[in-house]
């Protein structure tokens, strides 16, 4: 099965939305592995493979309760790459895709930690403007944090797709 650039763009967009869904927006459970993987499988014409890979990844994700400042994996973008691997390799090598998804979820955890630190630095750097109640400062900080999360999600998805392709 061959995938061209045009076929990868929807996967990158799905992974980006799944990554944003963890923290920023819309928090509609798209980031859950079963949802992201099933949608990725459907985009590739293999919804059943996506569902099976997503269900396996979901079993690992169920133990994580994302509350407070807890560190938790970002399964969504990794699930997209895992399904790509399962589709390209074949369903008999499902374990490879699932293992890849778990590794990528851990990388996602590190990227979320980076994002939180970057957002904290941005707020600390704007403390004078925040204390002075500069008009629009909260909106600018919010949109900058959203753009950082979008860039993080796209990069993580691109890594996942590249790893799934490899």
């Amino acid at each position: 099965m061959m995938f061209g650039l045009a076929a990868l763009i929807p996967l990158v967009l799905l992974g980006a939305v799944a990554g944003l869904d963890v923290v920023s927006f819309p928090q509609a459970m798209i980031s859950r592995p079963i949802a992201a993987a099933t949608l990725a499988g459907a985009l590739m014409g293999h919804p059943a493979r996506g569902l099976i890979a997503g269900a396996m990844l979901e079993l690992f994700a169920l133990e994580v309760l994302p509350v407070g400042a807890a560190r938790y994996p970002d399964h969504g973008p990794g699930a997209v790459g895992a399904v790509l691997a399962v589709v390209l390799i074949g369903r008999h090598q499902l374990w490879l895709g699932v293992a890849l998804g778990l590794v990528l979820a851990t990388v996602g955890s590190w990227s979320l930690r980076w994002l939180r630190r970057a957002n904290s630095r941005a707020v600390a750097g704007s403390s004078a403007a925040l204390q002075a109640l500069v008009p629009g400062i909260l909106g600018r900080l919010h949109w900058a944090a959203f753009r950082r999360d979008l860039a993080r999600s796209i990069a993580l998805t691109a890594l996942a797709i590249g790893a799934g392709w490899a």
Side-chain angles (χ1 to χ4, degrees):
M1 172 168 295
M2 296 298 294
F3 287 100
L5 181 61
L8 295 179
I9 291 172
L11 292 176
V12 171
L13 292 175
L14 171 62
V17 170
L20 284 172
D21 183 62
V22 174
V23 176
S24 296
F25 177 80
Q27 296 189 346
M29 305 297 279
I30 299 164
S31 61
R32 297 304 301 185
I34 196 161
T38 303
L39 289 170
L43 286 173
M44 288 182 267
H46 295 277
R49 288 186 191 180
L51 177 63
I52 292 168
M56 300 271 297
L57 288 167
E58 188 70 31
L59 292 173
F60 290 96
L62 283 174
E63 74 174 1
V64 178
L65 187 59
V67 294
R71 252 180 99 181
Y72 48 89
D74 185 359
H75 286 282
V80 173
V83 173
L84 179 64
V86 169
V87 168
L88 292 175
I89 295 171
R91 70 177 196 268
H92 300 296
Q93 298 297 325
L94 176 67
W95 68 273
L96 272 171
V98 171
L100 176 66
L102 293 173
V103 168
L104 291 166
T106 301
V107 173
S109 170
W110 297 333
S111 72
L112 284 170
R113 189 172 177 199
W114 169 84
L115 177 68
R116 288 179 178 161
R117 287 183 175 170
N119 289 341
S120 294
R121 283 191 302 273
V123 170
S126 300
S127 64
L130 288 166
Q131 289 177 0
L133 301 174
V134 172
I137 187 66
L138 286 177
R140 287 193 296 275
L141 284 170
H142 174 77
W143 282 110
F146 184 83
R147 286 190 302 274
R148 276 190 292 278
D149 194 14
L150 179 61
R152 177 200 71 83
S153 299
I154 289 171
L156 186 58
T157 303
L159 175 67
I161 288 173
W165 196 295

